[in-house]
Amino acid sequence: MMPATLAIVLAADLLAGPTIPDAPGGVMQVLDVRHGLLVAAPHGGFDRHTDEMARRVALLAGGGYLLASGYRTSARPINVNRPTEGVGLAADAEYVTPASQRVWAAWAARLDAQQPSLYVEIHGNSRAASAGAIEVATVGVDAAQATWLKADFGRRLAFLDRGMPRLPWLIEPLDAIHYRAGGAKRSGALARVPMALHLETPWAVRSDTRVRGRYADLIASTLAAFQTHLGR
């Protein structure tokens, strides 16, 4: 059952976030940033259910969102949040195409217009070695802030419903992680914001509707508390 408060904000969201078409073959949706927070999902449809999670996280945390779907496919792996294409490649091996540049320009324009003080991207992966945790690459987050975030999410995770997978955060600069978002940090969205969290969610977090909703709730609660912790 959807909480009444979430049902209200989702109903408001239908009016607030128009769908914006961009070539080739995808759409972007924007809900204006609130309280400095913007939650993004650049790989909707490819990283399955990440756009659903990002929308829910944003609304529950009192932020705005930037969502893209349909641009990144197996045949055309446009990265959206940076001007390149490629899957599973090192940042130096990704390649620039006219299509990837057009899509990135559209994404960057919408991001720049929002000017978030905290930018959060939600991604998904199926890497077996990363299946036991949510990896969090960061920009502008020091060790004390990372410690606070990891501990806050961990406390909330302890109260997760029985039988659900419990995946902690591994977060820079505290932990060694595989998904460090090097390309986006160098020439993409993470290079354009003062503070960012780049969340890589395993399939166990996204595969089941109920689990997906609960993790979105936990992430939203941690982000809202972190904003308060920062005095925003």
Side-chain angles (χ1 to χ4, degrees):
M1 178 68 69
M2 181 183 296
T5 52
L6 180 58
I8 291 170
V9 292
L10 286 176
D13 171 55
L14 295 177
L15 302 175
T19 299
I20 306 168
D22 289 285
V27 294
M28 294 185 189
Q29 291 180 289
V30 181
L31 180 67
D32 285 346
V33 69
R34 293 174 289 171
H35 310 296
L37 173 63
L38 185 66
V39 184
H43 300 159
F46 187 86
D47 289 357
R48 291 171 60 188
H49 306 298
T50 54
D51 48 351
E52 300 169 32
M53 288 188 70
R55 179 183 286 108
R56 183 180 180 108
V57 168
L59 295 173
L60 288 176
Y65 60 66
L66 176 55
L67 313 175
S69 61
Y71 296 107
R72 186 171 176 83
T73 66
S74 297
R76 200 64 186 272
I78 294 173
N79 284 317
V80 182
N81 68 341
R82 54 197 188 275
T84 57
E85 296 190 27
V87 174
L89 301 176
D92 291 340
E94 294 175 351
Y95 46 97
V96 176
T97 65
S100 68
Q101 289 179 309
R102 286 197 303 272
V103 174
W104 160 243
W107 182 267
R110 288 160 174 78
L111 172 58
D112 290 349
Q114 295 300 314
Q115 297 185 331
S117 56
L118 176 59
Y119 176 70
V120 180
E121 281 191 359
I122 297 182
H123 294 261
N125 74 83
S126 56
R127 180 176 181 265
S130 298
I134 296 173
E135 297 189 6
V136 187
T138 65
V139 169
V141 175
D142 62 27
Q145 291 165 336
T147 299
W148 191 98
L149 282 161
K150 183 174 182 176
D152 184 85
F153 186 79
R155 284 192 295 270
R156 298 177 194 280
L157 192 66
F159 294 97
L160 194 64
D161 312 52
R162 179 175 298 179
M164 286 191 176
R166 284 175 163 77
L167 277 67
W169 279 14
L170 296 180
I171 184 169
E172 293 179 327
L174 303 180
D175 303 305
I177 60 174
H178 177 77
Y179 294 102
R180 298 187 295 274
K185 288 177 180 177
R186 185 177 65 182
S187 60
L190 301 190
R192 304 172 85 94
V193 294
M195 179 177 283
L197 305 176
H198 175 283
L199 277 64
E200 279 284 350
T201 59
W203 181 235
V205 167
R206 295 174 286 118
S207 59
D208 178 83
T209 301
R210 184 163 170 262
V211 174
R212 187 164 63 244
R214 289 290 289 117
Y215 267 86
D217 296 350
L218 295 180
I219 293 168
S221 296
T222 289
L223 293 180
F226 186 53
Q227 290 285 78
T228 300
H229 176 71
L230 295 174
R232 297 173 181 166

